[in-house]
Amino acid sequence: MNKQTEEFMSVKNPQALPSSAWTEVGKPHPHESAILHVTGEATYTDDIVELQGTLHAALGLSTKAHAKMRAIDLSKVKASAGVVAVYTADDIPGENQCGAIIKDDPVLADGLVQYVGQPIFVVVADTHDNARRAARQAVIDYEELPAILTPRAAHEAESYVLPPMHLSRGNPADAFAKAPHKLQGKLDVGGQEQFYLEGQISYAIPKEGRGMHVYCSTQHPSEMQHHLAHVLHVASHDVLVECRRMGGGFGGKESQSALWACAAAVAAVRLRRPVKLRADRDDDMIVTGKRHCFAYDYEIGYDDDGRIVAAKIDMVSRAGFSADLSGPVATRAVCHFDNAYYLSDVEIHAMCGKTNTQSNTAFRGFGGPQGAIAIEYIIDEIARNLGKDALEVRRANFYGSSDADGPDARNTTHYGQKVEDNVIAALVGELEHTSDYQARRKAIHAFNAGNTILKRGMALTPVKFGISFNVPHLNQAGSLVHVYTDGSVLVNHGGTEMGQGLNTKVAQVVANALGLPLDQVRCTATDTSKIANTSATAASTGSDLNGKAAQDAALQIRARLAQVAAKHFNAEAADVRFADGLVTVGEQSIPFDQLVMQAYLQRVQLWSDGFYSTPKVHWNSKTMTGHPFFYFAYGAAVAEVVVDTLTGEWRLMRADLLYDAGESLNPAIDVGQVEGGFIQGMGWLTTEELWWNKDGKLMTHAPSTYKIPAVSDCPTDFRTQLFKNSNVSDTIHRSKATGEPPLLLPFSVLLAIRDAVSAVGEHRINPPLRAPATSEAILDAIDAVKAAQVTQ
C-alpha cells in the first residue's frame, strides 16, 4: 500500500476532505477479475456456452520446411470418424491472406509450404478430438526444396523478408580508427515462445445475412475484423469480433490470432454452423511465431574510462517465412540499442532474415530487449577488458542531464529524440544503496577466492525504454462511458484484458473522474461494434491510451452533471466537487445516483464517447529519425547468482528491482507486472531454448521439452520497489507503463551468470556466453575460459 492510500484510509470522514485528497487512482486495488479467476468463474473463449450445432475444427499441417505440394490426398481425412467437411485454400471465399502488414502470409498454403507446421487444410468434425485425429490422415506428395533455418544462414544467402535497415550518426569509422581501445565480437540470442496459458482459440458464429460473430482470444480485435472481412469477402460492418479476456497474450495474439479466426470463420460460413478452432499446445507452438532470435556482429571503440566513442553493429533476426511484424520489431531493436547510454558515433544495420521456420511475431518488448541486450553485453565486455566494475563503466556511458544544452549535452538519442526526464543516474544510485551492492561485491570476491567449484556472480543493469507505438497512427484510442439512473457506470474501450489489469486501471480512472467508489464502475468485453478502428493492446500503451480515452468520456459526463448540480445548489459549476459517491458544493451534498436521476429527468445526456491520440510522436522510416516515443520509462535490477562449474547448473540467490512507474495508477498491479516481466525475461535469457532439427521441425514444442521458469526458479530473496517519480509527459495521472520495460531487468541475471563464469579465469577473460544461458551454454563458456587460460 502506498503512502497516499494509507493517508486516505486513515481519515474517518473522507467526504470532508478537499477534492484533491480523495482519489480512486493510486490505490492497490485487486484485479477486477481476481475472484473470478480463483473461483473458476472467469469466462474465456473456450468457456462460452456452445450453441446448438457447434462443430470443431483442426488444422492439417505441413511436415516439410520448404516444398512444393505435387498432390494432396484427403480421402482418409474425409472418411475419419465424425468428419463433416474439409477445406483447402480453394474454398476461401475472399483473399487467402492474413499478413499483418504485407500480403505474404496465406491462411492456408496453396501449392507451396514454407515451414514445418504451416497449415494446409481445415478439417471440421463433431468433436475436437475427432478433428485432430482426422487432420493427421492426409497423404501429401512433396517436392522438397532447399531450406534456410538460421538467421546467419539467411544473412549469408541475402535472404530477407524486407529490405535491410540502416541508421548512422556522426562518423563512426573515423571515431573507431582514433579510439584508444577496440573490440570486436559476436553474440547470439535465442527467441522465446509466448507460452500464454490459454492457447490460440476462435469461435465463429454465422449471423443473419452475411454477418459473422467471432469470439477470439486476441490482442487486436480490429485487425481480426479487417482480416475476416477480406477472407470472407464481406464488409467490416458484417463482422463483429469480441474478446472479454485472454489467458495471456504477450504479443503472440497481436497478429497471429488471425490465422485461427480466419480458418474458423471460413468453415463456419461454408457450413452455416458455429465452428470452434482450439489449438492443442503442440500445434500452437509448431504453427505460431515467437520472439525473434538475433545474431549480432559488433565493433566498438572506447576510451580509458570505458566510454564508448564509436559503435558499429549488424543485427540479423530470424523473421521466419513471412514479414509479419518483423519490420517494426527490427525498428524498435535499432531504437533501443542505446538502452541507457549516449552513443556519439554509431552505425547500425538491421536485417530481417527470411528462414523456413514459423513467422516470428510480437513478444513483450517487441524488439526492444533484443536491441538493448547487445549494448549491455558489450559494456560488460569493456569493463572486464579494463579491469573495472561494470557499474562504473555503465555510469561513464549514461545519458547526460535532460537540462543540458550544446554539443556536449549527451542527451539526444542516435535517432534524434531528446531524452527528457532522465532519472537513470538517480535511480541506479538509489538501487546501488538499497541493494548494498558494493559490500556484496566484496563478499562475492571473497567467496570465489575460497571456492573452486561454486562461483558467485553479480550484475547491476539499467533500463531506458521508449513508450509508444513506433508507427505513429497507432497511437490512438476510443471509449464509451454510460451512466445509468441508479448511478452505476459501464465502460467500454478498445483495449483488451490479458491478465495485465488494464480493465482495473481504466475503471479506476473513470471512478476517479466521477468521484465514485470503484465497485460502481464496470468494464465490458472489447467489441468491434462499440469502439471502431482500435489499435492493438501492445507496446505498453494499453493504460496510457485507453485510460486517457475513458477519462475524456467520463469528464464530459461530469461536466454535464456539474451543470445540473450547480442549478440544484444555486451555485457555480466550477465549485461542484465529485468525491466518494457524493456531489458537493460547500457544505451541501447529494448522492451521485440522486443527481444522475435528476439529470435524466432533465433530459441530460448520460453517456459519452471519448478519444485520445498521443501528441508529439513522429517517425521517418527512411532516415530512421524522429520522435517515436512519448516518454521513457526507467528501471534497474541487481541479480546475484551461484553457478556450479561442474554441471553448469545455477541459481538466482537474490534480485533487487527498482522501477519507475511514474505516479502509479495501481501499485499492486504494477509491482506484479514488474516481477512477472522480470521472471519472464529471465526465462528467455536462461532456460527457454527453441531448437529446430536439421529438417526444420521445432523439437521444443511442449512443456516437456520447452522450459519456462517455475516457482522454484524464482529467487528466495526477491525485493521490488517502485521509484518515486512523476511523468513529465501528460500521461494518464502522470503514470508510466509497466508492461514491457521490466522484461529488460533480467539482463542482470544473464550478466551475473557471465560474471560467475568469468571468475573461473579470475576475470581476465570474457566468457563467450550465448543466450539462453542453459547449463550446456554455461559449460561451453567455462570450457572456453579454461582454454583461453592455457594459451595466455
Side-chain angles (χ1 to χ4, degrees):
M1 184 177 298
N2 65 12
K3 183 179 180 182
Q4 184 184 42
T5 305
E6 289 175 345
E7 290 175 350
F8 172 80
M9 296 185 71
S10 68
V11 178
K12 294 181 180 179
N13 185 17
Q15 292 94 330
L17 294 173
S19 60
S20 60
W22 186 92
T23 178
E24 275 295 349
V25 295
K27 290 185 179 181
H29 284 291
H31 191 287
E32 49 96 22
S33 297
I35 294 175
L36 300 178
H37 291 155
V38 173
T39 59
E41 293 183 70
T43 301
Y44 295 88
T45 301
D46 201 29
D47 299 319
I48 296 169
V49 177
E50 294 174 4
L51 297 177
Q52 183 177 359
T54 294
L55 297 171
H56 299 265
L59 299 175
L61 309 178
S62 166
T63 59
K64 302 297 180 182
H66 194 199
K68 294 179 181 178
M69 293 183 288
R70 287 188 287 235
I72 304 176
D73 183 356
L74 300 176
S75 58
K76 291 184 179 180
V77 179
K78 296 175 181 177
S80 294
V83 170
V84 175
V86 181
Y87 299 111
T88 64
D90 292 337
D91 298 303
I92 294 175
E95 282 186 313
N96 180 24
Q97 277 294 329
C98 59
I101 299 175
I102 299 174
K103 294 183 178 182
D104 62 349
D105 201 339
V107 176
L108 299 175
D110 188 8
L112 176 72
V113 294
Q114 298 188 71
Y115 73 97
V116 174
Q118 184 170 4
I120 300 172
F121 61 89
V122 183
V123 56
V124 187
D126 56 350
T127 69
H128 172 76
D129 287 344
N130 279 342
R132 289 196 67 226
R133 291 189 184 99
R136 269 62 176 173
Q137 300 303 311
V139 178
I140 301 176
D141 181 19
Y142 295 101
E143 178 187 336
E144 290 196 62
L145 303 170
I148 296 174
L149 302 178
T150 69
R152 291 194 184 275
H155 185 40
E156 184 176 349
E158 297 186 354
S159 171
Y160 309 119
V161 295
L162 295 164
M165 302 175 186
H166 310 286
L167 184 153
S168 181
R169 175 164 79 170
N171 191 334
D174 186 55
F176 185 78
K178 296 176 182 178
H181 306 280
K182 303 177 180 65
L183 67 83
Q184 294 181 326
K186 296 179 181 291
L187 174 65
D188 291 281
V189 176
Q192 185 180 20
E193 163 65 32
Q194 289 87 358
F195 216 95
Y196 25 68
L197 292 183
E198 175 203 31
Q200 297 279 3
I201 180 169
S202 287
Y203 184 26
I205 302 170
K207 297 292 184 179
E208 63 184 20
R210 293 153 62 92
M212 181 66 66
H213 187 166
V214 179
Y215 294 94
C216 182
S217 184
T218 180
Q219 295 172 238
H220 202 341
S222 286
E223 184 177 330
M224 298 309 102
Q225 180 190 35
H226 170 85
H227 286 305
L228 287 162
H230 283 273
V231 167
L232 299 180
H233 196 54
V234 298
S236 290
H237 68 212
D238 293 316
V239 179
L240 190 161
V241 177
E242 182 176 341
C243 179
R244 170 61 184 92
R245 60 172 59 84
M246 288 166 277
F250 308 115
K253 296 176 181 176
E254 181 175 344
S255 65
Q256 299 219 344
S257 47
L259 167 66
W260 313 89
C262 292
V266 165
V269 78
R270 286 292 185 190
L271 293 166
R272 302 304 301 169
R273 291 175 65 178
V275 175
K276 181 187 287 187
L277 175 54
R278 170 168 58 86
D280 176 82
R281 177 66 66 181
D282 295 76
D283 289 350
D284 192 326
M285 290 185 70
I286 288 175
V287 173
T288 62
K290 295 99 181 49
R291 182 188 297 283
H292 294 69
C293 71
F294 269 61
Y296 311 85
D297 293 277
Y298 54 85
E299 297 179 7
I300 306 294
Y302 57 98
D303 63 19
D304 294 340
D305 294 323
R307 179 175 285 188
I308 295 173
V309 297
K312 178 183 177 182
I313 188 165
D314 291 343
M315 308 178 182
V316 187
S317 68
R318 185 203 309 261
F321 82 97
S322 68
D324 195 81
L325 298 173
S326 293
V329 166
T331 300
R332 191 167 283 259
V334 169
C335 289
H336 282 80
F337 173 61
D338 61 328
N339 194 20
Y341 313 113
Y342 177 75
L343 301 173
S344 60
D345 297 81
V346 59
E347 183 178 349
I348 305 172
H349 304 278
M351 284 71 70
C352 303
K354 181 172 182 177
T355 56
N356 295 111
T357 54
Q358 296 84 349
S359 187
N360 284 326
T361 191
F363 196 126
R364 192 176 190 174
F366 201 76
Q370 293 99 311
I373 186 65
I375 197 72
E376 291 298 337
Y377 192 89
I378 288 165
I379 284 185
D380 186 68
E381 197 149 311
I382 291 171
R384 199 166 289 109
N385 289 347
L386 294 174
K388 293 178 178 290
D389 186 328
L391 177 55
E392 181 183 350
V393 176
R394 288 189 167 90
R395 277 203 172 98
N397 284 282
F398 278 165
Y399 274 100
S401 169
S402 300
D403 298 327
D405 291 316
D408 299 322
R410 295 176 57 85
N411 58 12
T412 303
T413 65
H414 52 298
Y415 47 87
Q417 178 172 341
K418 184 177 180 180
V419 180
E420 299 174 333
D421 185 27
N422 182 8
V423 299
I424 195 64
L427 188 150
V428 167
E430 181 177 326
L431 183 61
E432 180 185 14
H433 172 70
T434 58
S435 68
D436 204 15
Y437 176 85
Q438 297 299 342
R440 289 166 62 196
R441 260 274 171 233
K442 293 177 182 177
I444 288 172
H445 179 75
F447 176 88
N448 288 339
N451 289 269
T452 57
I453 305 301
L454 298 179
K455 296 292 184 182
R456 290 198 174 195
M458 188 165 71
L460 188 160
T461 58
V463 171
K464 175 186 70 65
F465 195 94
I467 305 297
S468 289
F469 286 100
N470 53 14
V471 178
H473 73 263
L474 297 179
N475 295 286
Q476 59 176 297
S479 73
L480 288 174
V481 174
H482 299 268
V483 177
Y484 296 96
T485 54
D486 64 353
S488 64
V489 180
L490 193 68
V491 182
N492 189 271
H493 58 86
T496 53
E497 176 63 56
M498 60 192 92
Q500 83 279 36
L502 174 59
N503 283 343
T504 308
K505 288 184 174 182
V506 171
Q508 284 181 262
V509 167
V510 172
N512 192 80
L514 296 175
L516 296 175
L518 183 59
D519 60 8
Q520 283 187 236
V521 180
R522 177 172 177 260
C523 287
T524 60
T526 312
D527 178 337
T528 57
S529 69
K530 294 178 180 177
I531 308 297
N533 310 318
T534 60
S535 297
T537 305
S540 303
T541 63
S543 297
D544 285 359
L545 294 176
N546 296 288
K548 276 284 195 180
Q551 184 188 54
D552 179 41
L555 290 179
Q556 292 179 55
I557 298 171
R558 190 177 79 174
R560 297 178 198 134
L561 290 174
Q563 293 291 340
V564 177
K567 181 180 178 181
H568 175 80
F569 290 119
N570 192 24
E572 296 295 326
D575 296 328
V576 178
R577 180 169 67 90
F578 292 76
D580 199 35
L582 296 174
V583 182
T584 305
V585 175
E587 299 300 320
Q588 305 177 83
S589 65
I590 182 174
F592 181 81
D593 59 339
Q594 292 184 25
L595 180 68
V596 167
M597 180 56 76
Q598 286 190 22
Y600 171 71
L601 294 175
Q602 295 174 31
R603 296 185 291 180
V604 173
Q605 182 179 335
L606 293 172
W607 63 270
S608 186
D609 62 308
F611 182 77
Y612 175 73
S613 62
T614 309
K616 299 197 301 184
V617 292
H618 57 87
W619 179 249
N620 186 324
S621 59
K622 294 182 179 179
T623 62
M624 301 286 284
T625 57
H627 194 289
F629 306 119
F630 187 33
Y631 65 91
F632 295 101
Y634 301 90
V638 176
E640 181 177 347
V641 304
V642 61
V643 172
D644 185 328
T645 60
L646 295 182
T647 65
E649 295 174 283
W650 65 279
R651 181 171 293 279
L652 178 58
M653 307 297 291
R654 175 176 164 181
D656 296 71
L657 316 182
L658 184 59
Y659 184 78
D660 169 25
E663 297 283 354
S664 173
L665 293 175
N666 186 315
I669 285 176
D670 284 342
V671 167
Q673 285 290 290
V674 171
E675 293 182 343
F678 179 86
I679 296 301
Q680 187 173 49
M682 183 182 76
W684 164 49
L685 295 171
T686 59
T687 63
E688 300 183 40
E689 185 173 32
L690 295 165
W691 178 65
W692 288 261
N693 68 12
K694 62 180 179 60
D695 298 318
K697 180 180 180 181
L698 178 68
M699 303 304 291
T700 48
H701 53 77
S704 58
T705 50
Y706 184 80
K707 299 298 183 181
I708 64 171
V711 172
S712 58
D713 296 304
C714 297
T716 53
D717 192 349
F718 202 177
R719 311 182 188 196
T720 305
Q721 295 292 328
L722 298 181
F723 183 69
K724 293 181 179 179
N725 191 26
S726 182
N727 200 343
V728 296
S729 296
D730 183 22
T731 54
I732 185 68
H733 290 286
R734 300 289 173 170
S735 63
K736 289 191 177 186
T738 56
E740 294 173 305
L743 194 133
L744 284 69
L745 295 174
F747 289 174
S748 56
V749 177
L750 177 69
L751 297 179
I753 293 173
R754 197 182 189 207
D755 183 51
V757 173
S758 174
V760 173
E762 299 180 355
H763 302 294
R764 293 195 298 266
I765 298 160
N766 275 306
L769 182 63
R770 64 183 182 272
T774 60
S775 294
E776 293 84 355
I778 291 171
L779 288 177
D780 287 345
I782 290 171
D783 288 343
V785 169
K786 289 180 177 178
Q789 275 185 297
V790 173
T791 60
Q792 279 187 342

